Structures are given as structure tokens and as C-alpha cells.
Amino acid sequence: MTGNEYGFDTLAIHAGQDPDPRTGAVVPPIYQTSTYAQDAVGAPRLGYEYSRSGNPTRDALQECLAAIEGGRRGLAFASGLAAEDTLLRTVCRPGDHVVIPDDAYGGTFRLFSKVAEKWGVDWTAVPLGDLDAVRAAFRPGHTRLIWAETPTNPLLNIADVAALAALAHEYDAMLAVDNTFASPYLQQPISFGADVVIHSTTKYLGGHSDVVGGALITADEGLGQELAFHQNAMGAVNGPFDAWLTLRGIKTLGVRMDRHCDNAERVVAYLETHAKVGQVLYPGLESHPGHETAAKQMSRFGGMVSFRAKGGRDQAIEICNRTKLFVLAESLGGVESLIEHPGQMTHLSAAGSPLEVPADLVRLSVGIETVDDLLADLEQALG
Ligand SMILES: *Cc1c(COP(=O)(O)O)cnc(C)c1O
């Protein structure tokens, strides 16, 4: 099944998920097995030998991921960071260099600054919205990768995927796009020239805050094969039950994202008029510096909203402590609304670095509850 034949929601529900040939089961079974009987030495029945190398439930997820991102090859990992690590160590060698966003997800920044750096892979953090800054950071012959996130976590900055792809390719480098915040329903980076898409499937793809996972989707078969080799050789694979939960989540991605967007738009409109709220960060706002680019590459603007508390850090923390429906928790992209203080929570690992986030920032993952209940909760929390 490819994106050319079917619409997004059809692919989300069917790609990689033909009824089970043996039983007719409509839903791909959870093949909770580590190994597979072979008919003779060197003759595995359907090519499956060992579940690190291959598992039918994971294969179903991988095929679905490739279809919904419009890519050639999908690979599912134990977590988003496991996917990132596998990508990094497939594409980069000691002496290589990567351009990363100056407001990358905290865990991504930690992977570069505390892990990759020790292995001799250097990085430069720049605002990816500034193409001159990206170009200036390039070290021709050494820069292998532009690593983009758009929208970014938690500042919701926007990078122009097509422009970054053109720039990367000019220098024989690749563009990797972390598409976790938008999800493929709202944005498909490969269609704008990205070479590989990264996901924390823990977030919108899984969608129910009940599973941790990651994914890589490649535009071409060559990089797909190299990554598949490393997926097995490095071993950070997605387990069968996790793959099954993620597949189940993906089936409703489209309807969930529409509701996430509807609710986020209402929350943004409410926050914009509140006396105690400073700047509201949402790419759907015309005042957002990345709005035009976002409108070009996203169909809608997502369920993530950040805002700055006029009363500073203490008020931001107080708001986070006072919501009742918005659960105070890290992570995002589930059906339930979450609130957090990035400076003290998700982005604590970036404190003191160029990626430090403002102390008065509050991040909302707007869920799909009844929106009036969400607005009432924010009203009481803002006091
Ligand atoms: C959560 C997240 C990750 C890391 O994924 P895990 O599944 O937690 O390992 C990477 N990028 C973004 C944008 C994220 O939100």
C-alpha cells in the first residue's frame, strides 16, 4: 500500500495490516515470541529467525509508518532516543559534525552534548529559522546532517523543511526531521525533501500515553537498508506488544489530530485575551514568526501550545501546580491534556546551555477532552 493509491486515514488503518493469513484475524496478532521454528538448517519458514532481527507485529508497524510518512522504509525502535542514537551512529563517524536546532528537545540535546560528543561527533546549535546561520555553521566535508525539529519542543519554532533540505543537499549532507510534534497527519517532511524522519511514537502516534517507542522513516531504500542493519546490530528494537499498541494508536491518528487542533485553537484564543498571560506560542497565530512557513508545510498547527506567565517563574510553576484536568506530567500527544514547566522538567538537562528555555514558560499538550472543561480548568488555575 502506498500513499499514491490511498488517503492518509486508509493507510493508517490498513497499511501493513492485511488480515492474518493463517486465522483471518483482522488485527495483526501480537507475536510475543523471541524465536521461530525452522524447517531445516538455514530454512526459516517466512524469513523470521529471531525477534531482534524481525518480528511480524513490528513489521506491520514499520510498513504502516513508511506508508503514512510517504517514505520507503520504516523502522521501529524501543524509544525516540533509541531511534535517534541509531540514526546518529549510522550516518556519523568520529570527526563528523551535525547542525542542530538551538531549541532542540532536551533529550536530543543531551544525546549530542553528553554522548555523541564523547565519540568524536561535534555539533553546532543554531536557530534553524535563520538560513544564513545554518549556512555559516556548515563545515563542508564534515557536516553530515542537519537535524531539524519543527515545530520545536517547547518553543514551537518553525523550520522551513524544503529550504533546509536544499541547503543540506548542496553540501552533500542529509536532512533529518523530528516530526514528533506535527505527526504525519499534519506534516510529511519527506514530501519537502527530508531524507529521514524521526518520531517519538510515544507521543501522537501512540496517542494514549501507554507506550514508549521511536521510529525512523527514510526517503530512499539505501539509507533504509543501512539503518535496518544497525537496528539489528545495535538492538534497540520495539517490542511486539509495544508495536501493537502503537499500531492501534495510529488507526485513529487523523481523528485525534483534528480534535487536538480544534481544542488547541480554542485554548490559544482564550490565553491570548488573558491578563496574566504574556506571549502565547502557537504556529497557527499570524503573529508567530514561523506562521507563513508553517502554513506552507503543515495542514493545521497541532495540539501543542506554550505560553509565558506574566508573573514570571513562580507564577508559571503555580499554574502548573493548580490545574486539575491538565495533568502535571512530562510527555505529550496523548488523549489527555498535560501541563508542565519545561525549565524544571523536560528541559532541565538544557539548563546553563545555549538551549536553556525561559523560566516563565508553561507548555500544554492539549488533549481531546470537552474543550469547555479545559478552558474552565485553565481559568481556575490562572486565578
Ligand atoms: C519525547 C521526544 C523525543 C524522545 O523520545 P522518547 O520516546 O522519549 O525517547 C524526541 N523528540 C521529541 C520532539 C520529543 O518530544
Side-chain angles (χ1 to χ4, degrees):
M1 260 191 167
T2 72
N4 297 333
E5 295 168 61
Y6 293 105
F8 184 90
D9 295 306
T10 307
L11 293 171
I13 292 166
H14 293 289
Q17 301 167 79
D18 289 340
D20 182 51
R22 196 169 73 85
T23 62
V26 167
V27 172
I30 305 166
Y31 285 91
Q32 194 70 44
T33 187
S34 61
T35 190
Y36 305 83
Q38 306 194 14
D39 290 329
V41 173
R45 286 181 197 170
L46 293 168
Y48 293 106
E49 296 163 348
Y50 184 60
S51 274
R52 170 164 37 71
S53 323
N55 176 280
T57 317
R58 191 172 87 226
D59 280 353
L61 171 60
Q62 295 186 151
E63 203 178 305
C64 185
L65 287 165
I68 61 176
E69 278 290 0
R72 281 300 296 275
R73 192 78 187 248
L75 296 158
F77 294 87
S79 69
L81 281 172
E84 294 187 15
D85 181 37
T86 305
L87 174 62
L88 201 55
R89 288 200 273 158
T90 300
V91 173
C92 295
R93 280 152 196 62
D96 285 347
H97 172 255
V98 182
V99 177
I100 66 170
D102 68 352
D103 59 344
Y105 168 69
T108 300
F109 177 66
R110 185 176 52 200
L111 178 66
F112 278 97
S113 63
K114 296 284 195 319
V115 183
E117 203 175 286
K118 274 199 282 192
W119 292 91
V121 175
D122 209 359
W123 52 275
T124 308
V126 301
L128 293 189
D130 179 350
L131 291 175
D132 293 334
V134 177
R135 193 178 284 277
F138 251 86
R139 300 181 194 164
H142 295 281
T143 305
R144 295 278 163 248
L145 209 54
I146 300 177
W147 189 287
E149 237 184 274
T150 184
T152 58
N153 180 0
L155 293 172
L156 297 157
N157 284 320
I158 299 295
D160 185 330
V161 177
L164 288 174
L167 209 158
H169 297 158
E170 193 184 313
Y171 291 96
D172 277 331
M174 281 194 259
L175 174 65
V177 177
D178 184 331
N179 201 27
T180 299
F181 263 40
S183 91
Y185 181 68
L186 302 179
Q187 169 177 278
Q188 299 184 323
I190 288 172
S191 71
F192 294 99
D195 299 284
V196 54
V197 171
I198 304 156
H199 275 287
S200 168
T201 57
T202 313
K203 316 294 169 53
Y204 287 107
L205 291 175
H208 296 74
S209 305
D210 54 10
V211 61
V212 170
L216 298 174
I217 299 99
T218 65
D220 77 47
E221 184 59 29
L223 178 62
Q225 276 178 17
E226 261 186 273
L227 288 168
F229 176 82
H230 280 84
Q231 180 194 40
N232 179 47
M234 292 167 69
V237 294
N238 197 248
F241 184 48
D242 290 355
W244 186 87
L245 281 170
T246 306
L247 262 179
R248 187 166 80 151
I250 288 172
K251 287 178 198 286
T252 56
L253 181 65
V255 289
R256 283 188 287 109
M257 290 314 296
D258 278 335
R259 178 65 77 84
H260 281 297
C261 293
D262 290 345
N263 284 1
E265 285 167 11
R266 290 280 304 278
V267 165
V268 166
Y270 167 78
L271 291 172
E272 280 244 291
T273 59
H274 201 288
K276 291 187 180 166
V277 173
Q279 190 187 10
V280 180
L281 307 171
Y282 188 65
L285 287 170
E286 271 172 40
S287 59
H288 187 288
H291 176 69
E292 250 177 69
T293 305
K296 192 179 70 173
Q297 63 196 20
M298 301 176 80
S299 57
R300 294 185 73 182
F301 304 101
M304 298 301 297
V305 178
S306 294
F307 67 91
R308 302 182 69 165
K310 272 197 184 149
R313 176 184 180 276
D314 291 348
Q315 191 209 352
I317 289 175
E318 197 180 293
I319 295 165
C320 293
N321 287 336
R322 278 167 67 160
T323 54
K324 295 185 175 123
L325 263 182
F326 279 86
V327 179
L328 177 62
E330 302 199 357
S331 199
L332 60 108
V335 291
E336 64 290 300
S337 294
L338 303 180
I339 189 167
E340 68 122 358
H341 185 261
Q344 292 292 308
M345 294 172 67
T346 48
H347 290 66
L348 192 57
S349 60
S353 80
L355 283 83
E356 186 167 320
V357 295
D360 58 3
L361 194 74
V362 175
R363 189 189 77 179
L364 303 176
S365 173
V366 180
I368 64 172
E369 299 95 335
T370 307
V371 69
D372 290 333
D373 295 334
L374 298 179
L375 298 179
D377 191 31
L378 290 172
E379 175 84 13
Q380 66 80 23
L382 282 158

